[in-house]
Amino acid sequence: MIDKKEKAYILENKHYNEPSIFLPENLLREARRQKNISECNVPSICVLDPDGDLAGYLVGKGDATRNNCWACYHSNLYNFHLNDLQLGIVPYIVGASYAVLVAEQLFASGCEVLVSVTSAGIIQYFDNNKRFALITEAVRDEGTSYHYLPAKEPSEISGFLLDKLSEITQAESCPWFNAKSWTTDAPYRETREAIRAMKDENVCCVEMEAAALYAFARVKKKNILCFAHLTNTMAQAEGDFEKGEHFGSIDTINLINELLKWIR
């Protein structure tokens, strides 16, 4: 008999082929009823902005306005325009479970492509001067992905999206490079030995959302791209966490503009 103290319950009782009783569509239905929100769609391309810097920059300039179709109980969505295309942005979506909760509701509200751009701690440096990594695979050191995808399966970007971006990724002018990340639920438990283990797996950076978002995307067949903005070394030295002009907003806008050439 297995000692219950030795069991990782998060791996038990998952039934991956069984549909959920609690659906995002039903929650949104009730939220619209309670908050008197009309049933209408969010923009087809949306951005998750965990740090909130880009959304704050756009709202502060008057370039983003509150979306009146978004019925989420826990977040706000803003509309903004790039190259005559309307996009949505949701700030302060930090962590795997929150990111997937919002992602589920965005796709149930008309989103077709979701882009996450999160600041990330640098695990090891690569031979380039680029500040963004397109996360192609994420180590699943969080809990949410295990509710969508069995433990033996990798959490990675869809092959279709990776192929679609391959030509631009290879260009010298591309603002990102492909890399592997480590998704953790516990940023203040990034120990020296854990970091060393990630280096051995050729991990570039550590963040808090990608593994769960990619697991959800794979199971639900959704289009999600996760980028890491390489901004810090876990605050091991004073002056860390410098993201650039307007807290990295200008660089992030340039990244999204480049991305739009290939996904619109």
Side-chain angles (χ1 to χ4, degrees):
M1 180 179 295
I2 299 176
D3 187 342
K4 289 184 178 181
K5 293 180 181 179
E6 296 179 358
K7 292 177 66 176
Y9 198 79
I10 198 166
L11 301 179
E12 302 291 326
N13 197 34
K14 288 297 169 282
H15 308 289
Y16 291 105
N17 294 324
E18 185 175 329
S20 175
I21 295 298
F22 188 31
L23 300 176
E25 292 85 354
N26 294 350
L27 180 138
L28 293 168
R29 179 196 66 215
E30 295 307 302
R32 284 192 292 267
R33 177 182 60 81
Q34 292 179 345
K35 299 164 78 171
N36 196 28
I37 295 174
S38 299
E39 186 168 356
C40 50
N41 284 345
V42 304
S44 61
I45 301 174
C46 290
V47 178
L48 294 184
D49 176 26
D51 289 2
D53 293 322
L54 177 57
Y57 171 73
L58 294 168
V59 171
K61 285 185 61 188
D63 290 343
T65 56
R66 181 103 171 248
N67 182 286
N68 293 322
C69 299
W70 182 231
C72 179
Y73 284 111
H74 315 97
S75 63
N76 294 318
L77 185 145
Y78 299 88
N79 294 342
F80 70 105
H81 286 82
L82 284 180
N83 292 332
D84 299 321
L85 183 67
Q86 181 174 261
L87 290 82
I89 184 167
V90 189
Y92 307 122
I93 308 303
V94 178
S97 59
Y98 192 16
V100 171
L101 180 146
V102 170
E104 285 263 22
Q105 294 175 187
L106 281 170
F107 282 102
S109 300
C111 175
E112 297 176 4
V113 178
L114 181 60
V115 180
S116 175
V117 186
T118 187
S119 60
I122 299 167
I123 297 297
Q124 58 184 319
Y125 290 92
F126 285 74
D127 188 21
N128 62 62
N129 296 317
K130 299 179 180 182
R131 295 291 302 277
F132 292 95
L134 171 61
I135 298 171
T136 55
E137 182 182 352
V139 174
R140 299 171 59 186
D141 195 12
E142 42 65 56
T144 305
S145 70
Y146 295 97
H147 294 274
Y148 287 84
L149 201 61
K152 64 181 180 180
E153 301 291 338
S155 188
E156 56 192 7
I157 189 173
S158 82
F160 169 78
L161 291 176
L162 189 61
D163 289 345
K164 191 174 178 67
L165 293 173
S166 62
E167 183 178 342
I168 190 170
T169 301
Q170 294 168 13
E172 187 65 30
S173 60
C174 179
W176 67 78
F177 65 101
N178 292 349
K180 185 177 181 180
S181 79
W182 164 27
T183 304
T184 180
D185 270 345
Y188 299 123
R189 290 301 300 149
E190 294 166 12
T191 63
R192 192 176 304 279
E193 288 302 315
I195 291 170
R196 182 177 291 118
M198 291 301 106
K199 284 183 178 179
D200 290 343
E201 292 198 31
N202 202 35
V203 163
C204 167
C205 59
V206 58
E207 41 73 38
M208 296 182 66
E209 297 86 22
L213 287 170
Y214 280 160
F216 157 69
R218 177 174 170 182
V219 171
K220 297 294 185 75
K221 297 180 171 53
K222 304 299 183 183
N223 295 313
I224 297 182
L225 294 165
C226 294
F227 289 89
H229 191 174
L230 307 176
T231 62
N232 67 86
T233 54
M234 287 75 80
Q236 296 179 77
E238 189 173 349
D240 211 354
F241 283 87
E242 293 300 321
K243 297 176 68 176
E245 189 177 1
H246 294 288
F247 299 100
S249 297
I250 304 304
D251 288 339
T252 303
I253 288 172
N254 292 337
L255 172 100
I256 296 171
N257 263 325
E258 196 66 43
L259 197 59
L260 289 177
K261 297 175 183 178
W262 298 87
I263 66 174
R264 63 186 301 173

